[in-house]
Amino acid sequence: MYTELVFLTIVCLIHVPMFVIASVGETDLNELSEQQNSVVINKCCESNEIMVDSVCRLIDKYNQSEWIPQFKTEDGKDKMVKYYKFVNGVPDCATTQQRPIFYFGKSEDELNLLVDGRLRHIIHHEHSTDSIKDDPSTNTYTLHGPIIIPEIKEPSSYIHEQKKYCMDKIFMTSTNLTGEYALVCVPEVKINWKDTSFLMQKILNPLFHAIAMVFFLLTAIIYFVLPTLRDLAGNIITSINVCLIVSQAADLVRIFTEYSNHISFMITDIVLYISLLGAFFWLNSFGFYIWKTFKSRNVFLRVTDVRKYCYYSSVVWSSVIIMAAMAISAHFLLDTGTSPYRKMRTQFSSSILVDDIEQETIGWLGIAIFFTPVAFTILFNIFFYITTLKVIKRINIYGRIHYKLKGCFNLFVQLFLIMTTSWLFLLLSWLNFDGLIYAHIVVNLLQAFLVFYVCVIRQSHVTFLLRKSCFYSEPVPTGEWGDEMTHMNGGNY
């Protein structure tokens, strides 16, 4: 009996510690497994940084605490996640755009971090979007442009997968508000081929831009290739068409807002506005040349002097460069009162949501500096038109130069009306009314066709030279006075 008790005691002393060790080991293994499978969260800033006014800053400098993520389940309930790890850096959006989202508790945008590491962006539609503030922290309801269709009342939501978002704490120094910040990749566009806005802005608009570039290119080539058209007026017309080609190409890039990064829109804006400014400055120089020649007492001067075109070119491009430098400097140095992000509408869903994508573009101060000279050139051109018309009415006898200048004057007036009308429709399209946007798209194509029509088709001497050089393979006459001498000497049209 005593032997059996001793044996049982020894067995217990051996097995109980082994059981305890096994139990503790199993707990450690489970905890180790949970740590290895911890939730991965994409953090925008480094571990010792948070977002301060949309820029990563050290936490210690602002007396703020670290970001502690709050998790939710698919149905919106709070869920405690014990183990998670951060992956620092901005999302990899490839060719799609990045968009910042701010969440301060009462925003129209709501950010929910799911337990599996994905990010859900919920957009509530019950709040008013009439007043949009540039500072997101001062806007208690909406943080971007009007994104709702009135009849929709249920909130819309998008889920951003891993590596397609980053999230962090944000602190606004102007209001001392703290919230959550996310930089997300814009969801892929779902095409609705029956949508009028998509057809006009994504299909017809780039098609019209391509056709317009062809018309401008044909006009520039004709006036550049035919020797008798390469006088001062012809070179100015060629320069105007080249500037319009560049503006069309830059505007074509801006159509596809979902396939580029922010800085490309800044560059395309600059190229677009510089080319438009150059086109109107060349048109203004065209009107000045005609006005000055008619006002001169001796108009029987050779007007095909290359040196005179160089003078005009140096003045035009120097003015354009100066105005562009002023506009760009004003944007980066002085335009601090407005947000550098302007709204560009893109369609996320064919039936749910039309959202506004914020793109870094030239601010309104820079645009004003670009477009104010255009407005002044329009006023100067009106002055040139009125005064030149009075001189023409007083002339009783027309010589060869007068004949040519009157034709140039008529061409100048027609180009002035066409380009000014297109420029005004461009300004109206910024009001973001669909009808005005569609009108600008159509007028943009009409501008190119009308420029080609008044510069080539309507000019009988140009069509005559084209027929001689293209259809009859005859050498183009290159007399001292150009194509007007051919017409005066009995050229058939």
Side-chain angles (χ1 to χ4, degrees), residues 220-238:
I221 289 175
I222 290 172
Y223 274 82
F224 181 78
V225 170
L226 295 179
T228 55
L229 298 179
R230 289 204 299 265
D231 54 6
L232 180 59
N235 288 334
I236 290 177
I237 293 174
T238 301

Side-chain angles (χ1 to χ4, degrees), residues 32 43 65 94 118 256 285 301 307 317 334 345 347 391:
L32 180 63
K43 190 177 187 296
S65 60
R118 296 180 299 167
F256 302 98
S285 66
L301 300 174
R307 188 176 300 175
W317 290 119
L334 302 178
R345 293 200 310 183
Q347 187 167 327
V391 175

Side-chain angles (χ1 to χ4, degrees), residues 330-400:
H331 169 75
F332 287 105
L333 301 178
L334 302 178
D335 200 5
T336 57
T338 59
S339 174
Y341 296 93
R342 207 166 62 246
K343 309 300 186 280
M344 291 185 177
R345 293 200 310 183
T346 184
Q347 187 167 327
F348 278 7
S349 173
S350 60
S351 60
I352 296 179
L353 181 64
V354 175
D355 203 355
D356 286 346
I357 301 305
E358 294 181 332
Q359 293 297 328
E360 187 176 358
T361 57
I362 291 292
W364 292 113
L365 180 59
I367 293 175
I369 296 177
F370 269 120
F371 276 43
T372 300
V374 175
F376 277 103
T377 61
I378 293 175
L379 296 178
F380 288 140
N381 287 333
I382 293 174
F383 168 77
F384 294 149
Y385 165 72
I386 295 174
T387 54
T388 306
L389 186 62
K390 290 180 180 180
V391 175
I392 291 175
K393 289 181 178 180
R394 290 199 302 262
I395 297 177
N396 296 323
I397 300 174
Y398 282 92
R400 289 173 298 191

Side-chain angles (χ1 to χ4, degrees), residues 10-216:
I10 294 173
V11 170
C12 290
L13 291 175
I14 294 174
H15 284 83
V16 169
M18 292 181 62
F19 177 76
V20 172
I21 293 173
S23 300
V24 174
E26 184 177 358
T27 302
D28 292 340
L29 289 175
N30 292 335
E31 187 172 354
L32 180 63
S33 178
E34 289 181 3
Q35 292 179 0
Q36 292 176 349
N37 297 326
S38 58
V39 178
V40 178
I41 303 172
N42 300 90
K43 190 177 187 296
C44 299
C45 302
E46 297 297 329
S47 56
N48 59 342
E49 295 178 335
I50 61 171
M51 280 287 176
V52 179
D53 298 330
S54 300
V55 179
C56 291
R57 302 294 185 189
L58 292 174
I59 302 175
D60 300 336
K61 294 183 178 181
Y62 294 91
N63 194 25
Q64 293 289 320
S65 60
E66 296 182 357
W67 177 51
I68 301 177
Q70 304 294 325
F71 295 89
K72 289 184 178 292
T73 59
E74 292 280 352
D75 54 2
K77 296 181 180 179
D78 294 332
K79 180 67 179 294
M80 184 67 182
V81 174
K82 187 176 182 181
Y83 297 107
Y84 57 85
K85 62 181 179 180
F86 291 131
V87 175
N88 306 99
V90 297
D92 179 15
C93 297
T95 59
T96 60
Q97 296 178 18
Q98 296 175 348
R99 176 190 174 213
I101 303 174
F102 305 85
Y103 178 45
F104 291 96
K106 295 181 180 179
S107 307
E108 187 179 55
D109 300 281
E110 181 181 350
L111 299 174
N112 288 342
L113 193 59
L114 301 181
V115 293
D116 56 1
R118 296 180 299 167
L119 176 65
R120 169 178 284 174
H121 174 208
I122 302 176
I123 305 174
H124 300 281
H125 302 294
E126 65 269 16
H127 301 304
S128 172
T129 60
D130 292 336
S131 59
I132 308 299
K133 301 294 182 64
D134 293 326
D135 185 358
S137 65
T138 61
N139 191 341
T140 57
Y141 293 109
T142 180
L143 301 171
H144 44 71
I147 60 170
I148 62 170
I149 299 174
E151 61 269 13
I152 298 179
K153 296 182 180 180
E154 292 297 325
S156 303
S157 65
Y158 299 95
I159 294 181
H160 301 277
E161 302 294 335
Q162 285 287 339
K163 298 182 180 180
K164 296 301 179 182
Y165 79 93
C166 74
M167 196 171 177
D168 216 314
K169 179 181 178 180
I170 187 169
F171 171 66
M172 308 301 296
T173 56
S174 59
T175 57
N176 291 327
L177 287 179
T178 59
E180 290 182 321
Y181 169 91
L183 186 65
V184 301
C185 299
V186 175
E188 295 293 334
V189 177
K190 296 181 180 179
I191 299 176
N192 180 12
W193 297 96
K194 297 180 180 180
D195 184 70
T196 304
S197 178
F198 177 81
L199 289 174
M200 289 295 296
Q201 299 188 42
K202 299 299 184 181
I203 297 180
L204 292 182
N205 196 17
L207 178 62
F208 287 173
H209 274 74
I211 297 174
M213 292 171 65
V214 172
F215 279 124
F216 290 136

